[in-house]
Amino acid sequence: MTARTENKTSAVFDIHDMTVAYDRRPVLWNIDLTLRNPGLVAIVGPNGAGKSTMIRAAMGLVPMVSGSVSAWGSPIGRELGRIGYVPQRGSVDWDFPISVFETVLMGTYGSLGWFRHPGRVQRDLTMRCLERVGMQDYAQRQIGQLSGGQQQRVFLARALAQQAELYFMDEPMAGVDAATERVVFELLQSLSEEGRTIVVVHHDLRTVSEYFDEVVLLNVRIVASGPVDTTFTSANLQSTYGGRLSILDTMAEAVQKQTETE
Amino acid sequence: MLHMLPDTAVLFAGGIPIPFEAQTTRLAASLGLPATDVQNAFWTMAVGALCAVCCSLAGCFLVLRRISLLGDALSHSVLAGTAGVYLLTGRVDPVPMLCGAIAAGIVTAVLTQFVHKAALVPEDSSIGIVFTSLFAFGVVVVSQAKHVHLDLDCVLFGDLAFAGVNLHPTFGWLVPESFRSLIPTLMITLLLLAVFWKELRLTSFDPTLAVTLGFSATLMHYLLTTVVAIVTVSAMDVVGLLVVALLIVPAAIARLLTDRLSTMLVLSCLIGVSCTTIGYLLALRWDSSAAGLSAVVAGAELLVAIVVSPKNGLLGRLLRTVRLRIRICAEDVLAGLFRRQERSDAPDKRVQASVSECHTLAGGGIMSVAALRWLLSRQLLQQAGPVMLLSETGLRYARSMVRSHRLWEAYLQENFNLPSDHLHDPAEAMEHFIGPGVQQQITEELSQSAEDPHGRAIPDVKRQDVR
C-alpha cells in the first residue's frame, strides 16, 4: 500500500481511464497513461486519433466522460499553476492588436492572479524568455507581422514565461521551417535538462527517435507508450497507423444513437 | 423610449448654475447667434460625445472578440426589458426600467449561449434568434398596454437633437437629463477597463490560455456583456437603435489605423466623438436626424479609413505599388546602360546615352520621368548636358542587377526544363527582387556560375553596398 502511494506521487503525470466524447460520441477510449520521469515525450498518431483532444481534456479544456487526471500525485486542477499549455498556432487571432512583448507577458499572468498588474519582475522575465527563443529584436512588433516560425517561437516564449514544470504543446512544429524546428528542439531539450517534462503532439515520425525520450502511440486508444528505443517499433507503428479498430467506430455510433433515441 | 401619456412637464428651476454658461454666451456673441441656441448645441454635442466615448470603449472589445452582433442584439432586447418591467409594475419609472433593460441584456447573452450550445446552432444564428424573439415580445407587450405609447422615431433615432434642450438640475448643476445615466455609464466602463484591463485583453486574445492560467473566460464574457448592456441602454435614449453604429464603426475604424490596443481605444473615442459632433452639425444644417447623420458620418469615416489606412489602405498599397514600379523602371535603365557598355568596343569606358534613350530604356511614359529623377536623386546617374552616364555607384548597382538577371537565368536553366528563349522574361521580372543573400545562395547552388545560358559572363560583384 505504501509502495503504491509512493509510486503514484512520484509520477509526474497520470491519466487514469480517461474517456472523452464529443456530442456523446467517444473519441478517446479508456486512456491510461503514466509519465514517471521528467523528459521529452512525443504523442504520435494518425489524423483524428485524438492527440490534441487528449491534452486538452487533461488540461480540463474539454470535459471527460470518465476518468481522472493527476499531476505529481494530486488532481490536475490543483496543479494548473505548474503546468503550461501551448495551443496550436491557429487557435488565436493573429490580427489582434497586441505586440510580441505583450503576448509573452501574458505567460506571467498566471502567477499574478486577478487584478494585479505585471511589474518590473514580469517584464524582465518576459525579455529573458524572448531572448531565449531569439525574438528579442521583434519585441515591439505586432504579432501578425511575424512569419509562421516566428509566431511559434512567440508561443514558446510565452510558455517559458509561465515557468511551468510540465508543458503540453500542440504541434509546435506545424508549419515551421527547418531552422526554427532546430531552435525549438534545442529549447525543448534544454527545458528537459532542467528537469521539466514536455509532452509534444508531434506529426513528423522521422524526428521522433532523434529528439524524444519517450513516445506515446495513440489512435483513439493508447497503442503503446514508453521509452522511444523499445516502444517506437515498426510493429507498434503498424498497429497505430494500420487503421482504426472498426469495432470502436461501430460502438461510438451505437452509443451516440442510443443516447439520441432514449 | 417609452413615455407616459401625457408627457411629464419639464421642470425648470431658476437660479441653478449651468456649467460653461459664460463660455457659450461669449461664443454666441462672437458668432452673432442667440445664446440659447449655442448653449443647446453645446450640450447636445456634449451628450453625443459622452455617448460616443462609452460606446467606442465597449465597442472595441466587441469588435476584437468578433461579437459585434451582440451590440445589435442588446439594443433590441432592451425593449423587451423595459416592457417586462412595465408588465410587472404597471408603471413607467426610469430606474426600474433601466434595471429591466440591463437584465434583458444579460438574459440575451445567457440565452444566446444556451441556444448555441443546446440547439447546436452557430453562435451568430443563435444571437439572431434570441434578440428578434425578445424584441418581438417587447413590441407585443407595448402594443397591448393602454397608457404607454411606443415612440418609434425615438426607438430608431433617439432624441439627440433635443438632448441639449432639456436641462435638469443634477447635483446642483443644470445639465442635460441624459448625463444622469451617461456619466455613471462612463464611470462603469472606465472602471471595467482599469480593473480588468489585463484580464479583458487576455480573454479576448486567447481564452484558452486564460482558462489554463486560472482566469474565467466565461466570467469576463458576462462582465463585458453586462457593461455593454448598460452602455447600450444609456446610449439608446440618445441615439436609438443607431447605437449599434456607434458601438462598432469607430472601433472598426480605429482597428484599421493602429496595431496597439491602447491606441485603438483612444482613437475609437476620438472617431466616435467626431461622428456625433459632425453628424449633429450636419443635422442642424440640413434639418435632419442627428443620430442618423452621426451613423452616416461614421460610415463615411470608415470609407476614408479604408483608403488611407497605413497597413492595408488602398492609398498605401497604391503608393507602394507606384514606388515599386518606379524602382523597377529605374533599374531597367541601369541594366540597359550596363549591357550597352558591355557590348561596346571599349567596355571600360563609361557608356553615354541621351536623355530620350534613357526614357526608352525605362519604358517611356510618366513612369520613366519619375524613374530618371529617382536615379539622379540617388546619384546613380549623372547628367552632363544632353547625355546621361552611370556614376560609380550606379555602375555597381547596374552590375548587380545584371548579375541577378543572369544568375536567375542560369538557375532556371539548371532546374527547370525550359527552352532557352523562355529564360529572359522571367529573369527580367525576378531580377528586381533578388537581393545579395539570394545571389549568394544561387551562386552556391549552381554547378558552374561563370556564364549565363546565353554564354554571357555573369558579372562579379564584390560588395553590394547600394541596396
Side-chain angles (χ1 to χ4, degrees), chain B residues 112-304:
Chain B
T112 300
Q113 286 301 313
F114 173 74
V115 173
H116 168 52
K117 297 232 166 85
L120 301 174
V121 231
E123 193 160 4
D124 55 343
S125 315
S126 138
I127 292 178
I129 293 164
V130 171
F131 88 73
T132 45
S133 313
L134 284 176
F135 183 65
F137 165 76
V139 170
V140 170
V141 171
V142 169
S143 66
Q144 289 293 311
K146 289 204 179 76
H147 303 291
V148 177
H149 142 80
L150 177 66
D151 186 345
L152 201 60
D153 270 3
C154 193
V155 170
L156 276 178
F157 307 121
D159 56 357
L160 180 57
F162 303 104
V165 181
N166 303 332
L167 299 187
H168 283 248
T170 309
F171 296 119
W173 298 93
L174 212 51
V175 290
E177 197 183 4
S178 5
F179 270 40
R180 285 193 209 162
S181 58
L182 283 174
I183 298 257
T185 303
L186 181 63
M187 305 280 231
I188 292 170
T189 314
L190 289 176
L191 197 69
L192 173 85
L193 292 183
V195 174
F196 293 106
W197 175 252
K198 178 182 103 219
E199 289 79 8
L200 259 180
R201 188 155 71 165
L202 174 64
T203 52
S204 302
F205 173 59
D206 194 343
T208 313
L209 179 78
V211 171
T212 62
L213 290 178
F215 298 93
S216 167
T218 320
L219 184 65
M220 284 317 296
H221 177 76
Y222 284 122
L223 204 57
L224 180 67
T225 308
T226 310
V227 171
V228 173
I230 294 172
V231 168
T232 311
V233 173
S234 334
M236 262 191 87
D237 259 355
V238 181
V239 290
L241 277 180
L242 291 168
V243 65
V244 183
L246 281 187
L247 275 171
I248 307 308
V249 185
I253 297 173
R255 180 69 199 89
L256 282 174
L257 299 179
T258 177
D259 269 335
R260 298 196 69 84
L261 184 55
S262 44
T263 320
M264 180 178 163
L265 286 168
V266 174
L267 266 182
S268 72
C269 289
L270 294 176
I271 292 163
V273 170
S274 80
C275 289
T276 51
T277 310
I278 298 172
Y280 170 68
L281 292 174
L282 288 179
L284 274 188
R285 184 165 184 84
W286 294 333
D287 191 22
S288 175
S289 155
L293 275 166
S294 299
V296 171
V297 170
E301 286 188 14
L302 181 72
L303 279 183
V304 173

Side-chain angles (χ1 to χ4, degrees), chain A residues 101-128:
Chain A
F101 185 85
E102 291 163 333
T103 309
V104 176
L105 192 61
M106 284 182 174
T108 68
Y109 285 6
S111 61
L112 286 170
W114 291 85
F115 309 120
R116 269 179 63 208
H117 286 270
R120 184 68 190 267
V121 180
Q122 285 76 23
R123 292 178 177 278
D124 288 348
L125 172 65
T126 301
M127 216 51 219
R128 281 202 307 280

Side-chain angles (χ1 to χ4, degrees), chain B residues 4 11 14 40 51 58 62 65 80 124 234 269 321 383-384 396 453:
Chain B
M4 265 298 197
L11 185 91
N40 287 345
C51 211
L62 291 184
R65 287 167 168 250
D124 55 343
S234 334
C269 289
T321 315
Q383 188 159 17
R396 271 208 300 274

